[in-house]
Amino acid sequence: TRLRVATILTCYRQGMSIEGIVQQYPALKPSGVHDALAYAYDHIDEIEANLSDDDELAVKDHELGSGAS
């Protein structure tokens, strides 16, 4: 199972520890979480853009689901 780097970064930014992330996603090892965070911070502009795109999609999905136009 693949997990997006942005997901790991979001968990970390929300206060989850490395151990907490591993507990939430048992397929991960602590070294994988550290690698993902290192990648995220090395490519922060790209990751931030992905998170922004996700936020925009979530708003559009919510609007479509609620019948708003």
Side-chain angles (χ1 to χ4, degrees):
T1 303
R2 295 190 58 148
L3 187 61
R4 293 176 59 203
V5 170
T7 301
I8 295 169
L9 179 62
T10 298
C11 290
Y12 189 74
R13 285 181 170 177
Q14 290 176 348
M16 289 182 77
S17 65
I18 302 301
E19 295 79 17
I21 296 170
V22 170
Q23 287 177 353
Q24 182 73 29
Y25 301 100
L28 290 177
K29 296 181 179 180
S31 60
V33 176
H34 285 284
D35 290 345
L37 292 173
Y39 179 88
Y41 285 109
D42 284 346
H43 300 89
I44 197 65
D45 292 336
E46 176 186 346
I47 301 300
E48 292 288 352
N50 288 339
L51 289 171
S52 179
D53 290 346
D54 289 349
D55 289 345
E56 288 177 21
L57 285 174
V59 168
K60 287 180 183 177
D61 286 346
H62 177 74
E63 288 173 352
L64 289 174
S66 67
S69 5

